[in-house]
């Protein structure tokens, strides 16, 4: 127990809400602060909804590096990059390129698989503790995930990856095109080119990220300071951070501070000399009402050709994808939404009402290597839980546990060491 010490968690996305929940269960008195008036309105709002416990390979791979020129030159590419004359952007790109080698990819994948496994066990425990009605509203299901490949050349590489991941405890199997259609009958009439093969992972789950964030924030019992942006952190020599200073001049004083501010985390820390290697990578989703249940997928489908994920959330289908390195602009490009709707109609014709899409865009807080930053900073009472990139929903519960352990013992556990900033 932490003898009732007071911690201020800045950021009430899935990572901050999970941190608040884990710390409150350890005995901390928690204050949760967010600029939005409701938890889960940042990038945790309408993401791909995948609890993607077995698919944690980072973006930075030699294959991605080789594909970059073709992606950047293609008009309908899933990737967009607007170069910026900013030192941090240049540094991030250089570190990204350095991370694109197989030994680094394997180290990162192994560390993330261990964290995702902790996350799954932790989240299951947390969900069991929620009232049944609240839990039902989260659409938490285990439909399994089918990753569909339409180009055969990837097959050998995919088989090698599956074999390696099997050694780390991931149960997945390569399935032929016919079995893809058996596992998900809605694929029987799919467009977008013939299916070559697929990878089936029985254990993958889905959940409504915004609903989960709100539920954990509420269940943490934290004092909420919502609709208030933290403008700066007040530090004193020898004492570390003494207060989070709000935009209106009010202060939240506490013994410890956790930065869980997602893609905006760097803004708060830069004045303290802490430079986070986090690049906002914009992605989009549409959520569509399902009008023909038999034509819509029940299992989660990842279409590797289009780089899109599909998740069924109750009576809705969520489709998400795209990666744009274009700064912190969260405006929605209608062409991206049209492309998502078109892809749904091609892949699952007649499944959804395309006249009523709920469009969304958010910024993945991405580190170059794909590893989040969890634990201590050079300030004695300032902690990080940031940089979860494309996997924040999946990794939030485990990350909160590692953070809690580090704060309790003053040192990271062995499992947390790959994610340390200092
Ligand atoms: C298109 C897309 C699809 C995705 N799909 C998946 C998926 O299927 N599975 C998965 O695991 N992950 C997915 N992700 C990634 C996932 O959404 C993120 O990693 C995760 O939501 C990050 O959570 P967070 O709490 O760090 O950030 P956020 O949710 O953005 O929370 C940060 C909070 O901090 C607050 N804040 C920031 N600065 C301040 C300040 N100065 N004062 C007060 N408050 C502040 C913000 O208002 C915000 O609420 C996807 C992302 C995108 C874009």
């Amino acid at each position: 127990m932490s003898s009732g010490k007071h911690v201020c968690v800045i950021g009430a996305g899935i990572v901050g809400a999970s941190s608040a929940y884990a710390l409150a269960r350890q005995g901390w008195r928690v204050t949760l602060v967010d600029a939005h008036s409701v938890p889960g309105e940042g990038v945790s709002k309408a993401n791909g909804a995948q609890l993607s416990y077995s698919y944690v390979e980072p973006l930075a791979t030699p294959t991605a590096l080789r594909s970059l020129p073709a992606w950047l030159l293609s008009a309908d590419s899933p990737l967009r990059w607007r170069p910026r004359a900013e030192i941090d952007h240049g540094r991030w790109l250089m570190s990204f390129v350095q991370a694109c080698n197989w030994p680094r990819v394997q180290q990162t994948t192994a560390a993330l698989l261990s964290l995702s496994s902790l996350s799954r066990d932790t989240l299951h425990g947390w969900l069991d503790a929620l009232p049944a009605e609240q839990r039902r509203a989260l659409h938490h299901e285990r439909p399994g995930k089918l990753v569909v490949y339409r180009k055969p050349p990837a097959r050998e590489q995919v088989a090698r990856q599956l074999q390696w991941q099997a050694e780390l405890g991931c149960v997945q199997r390569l399935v032929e095109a016919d079995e893809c259609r058996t596992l998900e009958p809605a694929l029987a009439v799919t467009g977008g080119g013939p299916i070559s093969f697929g990878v089936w992972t029985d254990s993958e789950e889905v959940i409504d990220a915004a609903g989960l964030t709100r539920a954990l924030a509420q269940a943490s019992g934290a004092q909420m300071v919502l609709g208030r942006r933290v403008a700066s952190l007040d530090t004193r020599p020898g004492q570390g951070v003494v207060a989070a200073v709000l935009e209106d001049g009010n202060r939240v004083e506490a013994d410890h501070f956790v930065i869980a501010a997602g893609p905006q985390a760097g803004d708060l820390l830069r004045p303290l000399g802490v430079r986070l290697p986090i690049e906002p990578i914009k992605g989009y989703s549409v959520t569509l009402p399902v009008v023909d249940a038999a034509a819509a997928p029940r299992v989660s489908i990842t279409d590797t050709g289009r780089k899109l994920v599909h998740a069924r959330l109750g009576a809705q289908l969520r489709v998400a994808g795209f990666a744009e390195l274009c700064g912190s602009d969260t405006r929605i490009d209608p062409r991206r939404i049209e492309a998502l709707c078109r892809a749904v109609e091609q892949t699952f014709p007649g499944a959804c009402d395309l006249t009523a899409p709920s469009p969304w865009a958010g910024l993945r807080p991405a580190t170059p290597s794909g590893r989040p930053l969890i634990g201590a900073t050079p300030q004695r009472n300032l902690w990080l839980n940031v940089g979860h990139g494309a996997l924040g929903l999946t990794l939030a519960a485990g990350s909160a546990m590692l953070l809690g352990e580090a704060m309790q013992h003053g040192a990271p556990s062995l499992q947390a060491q790959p994610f340390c900033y200092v």
Side-chain angles (χ1 to χ4, degrees):
M1 290 287 280
S2 305
S3 58
K5 277 196 166 183
H6 183 198
V7 57
C8 171
V9 178
I10 300 171
I14 187 60
V15 174
S18 300
S19 306
Y21 187 83
L23 292 169
R25 280 169 72 120
Q26 273 186 6
W28 292 83
R29 183 161 73 83
V30 183
T31 299
L32 185 57
V33 188
D34 201 286
H36 287 105
S37 53
V38 179
E41 290 290 299
V43 63
S44 304
K45 187 170 183 181
N47 63 22
Q50 311 276 318
L51 291 164
S52 191
Y53 296 119
S54 299
Y55 290 89
V56 297
E57 192 182 83
L59 188 61
T61 64
T63 317
L65 197 58
R66 272 197 304 277
S67 311
L68 274 182
W71 281 341
L72 291 173
L73 291 172
S74 153
D76 57 353
S77 168
L79 183 77
R80 229 180 245 168
W81 174 44
R82 198 181 314 131
R84 306 195 302 280
E86 293 166 18
I87 290 173
D88 286 348
H89 180 56
R91 279 201 186 127
W92 189 94
L93 289 173
M94 270 167 53
S95 302
F96 179 87
V97 171
Q98 280 161 7
C100 289
N101 64 77
W102 287 120
R104 279 284 292 279
V105 173
Q106 289 205 331
Q107 280 166 10
T108 298
T109 305
L112 292 177
L113 281 175
S114 152
L115 180 55
S116 74
S117 164
L118 173 66
S119 265
R120 180 185 355 228
D121 294 347
T122 303
L123 184 62
H124 286 178
W126 292 358
L127 290 170
D128 284 345
L130 289 179
E133 202 173 315
Q134 199 175 16
R135 190 180 164 163
R136 260 196 304 280
L138 301 178
H139 303 298
H140 178 229
E141 302 278 348
R142 183 184 149 172
K145 173 148 54 186
L146 184 62
V147 178
V148 172
Y149 292 82
R150 297 180 194 269
K151 282 191 193 147
R155 193 181 176 114
E156 243 175 59
Q157 190 193 327
V158 171
R160 268 201 308 275
Q161 176 77 8
L162 289 193
Q163 202 179 356
W164 180 70
Q165 292 211 168
E167 288 163 23
L168 299 171
C170 286
V171 182
Q172 300 173 286
R173 64 192 172 84
L174 212 131
V175 291
E176 300 304 331
D178 279 355
E179 195 178 348
C180 288
R181 288 185 280 271
T182 311
L183 287 162
E184 179 44 76
L187 281 173
V189 288
T190 187
I195 295 171
S196 171
F197 67 97
V199 173
W200 172 244
T201 312
D202 181 56
S203 53
E204 298 291 78
E205 303 173 7
V206 295
I207 199 161
D208 169 19
L212 177 64
T213 306
R214 288 193 299 271
L216 291 176
Q218 189 195 1
S220 71
Q223 185 197 349
M224 308 262 200
V225 179
L226 297 174
R228 318 276 288 277
R229 203 178 75 82
V230 175
S232 63
L233 299 170
D234 189 6
T235 57
R236 296 283 149 80
Q239 293 180 51
V241 180
V242 291
V245 184
L246 305 177
E247 242 173 0
D248 57 13
N250 281 310
R251 297 160 64 85
V252 179
E253 295 181 354
D255 304 303
H256 288 260
F257 294 81
V258 171
I259 303 296
Q264 290 91 28
D267 301 344
L268 279 173
L269 294 171
R270 220 167 286 120
L272 305 186
V274 178
R275 297 187 91 90
L276 296 180
I278 294 182
E279 173 77 14
I281 302 188
K282 186 171 172 179
Y284 293 82
S285 76
V286 282
T287 309
L288 296 158
V290 170
V291 289
D292 180 353
R298 274 255 153 236
V299 311
S300 293
I301 301 284
T302 299
D303 193 326
T304 54
R306 293 192 170 102
K307 306 243 172 296
L308 298 180
V309 297
H310 305 70
R312 185 81 171 263
L313 290 171
Q316 298 186 312
L317 185 68
R318 169 85 46 83
V319 191
F322 302 128
E324 299 184 352
L325 282 81
C326 300
S328 296
D329 178 1
T330 52
R331 273 175 304 182
I332 295 177
D333 178 347
R335 287 168 303 179
R336 290 300 209 188
I337 300 305
E338 282 159 24
L340 287 174
C341 290
R342 217 171 27 248
V344 171
E345 189 50 20
Q346 279 172 4
T347 317
F348 302 108
C352 294
D353 178 1
L354 299 171
T355 62
S358 300
W360 175 82
L363 303 171
R364 302 174 185 91
T367 61
S369 68
R371 296 183 196 195
L373 298 166
I374 306 165
T377 68
Q379 297 281 347
R380 53 168 277 280
N381 62 347
L382 180 64
W383 304 84
L384 297 176
N385 199 359
V386 294
H388 292 76
L391 287 168
L393 175 60
T394 307
L395 302 176
S399 302
M401 294 306 282
L402 295 188
L403 173 77
E405 279 168 21
M407 289 178 70
Q408 199 165 20
H409 303 302
S413 64
L414 203 60
Q415 196 177 7
Q417 280 174 12
F419 308 109
C420 288
Y421 175 75
V422 287

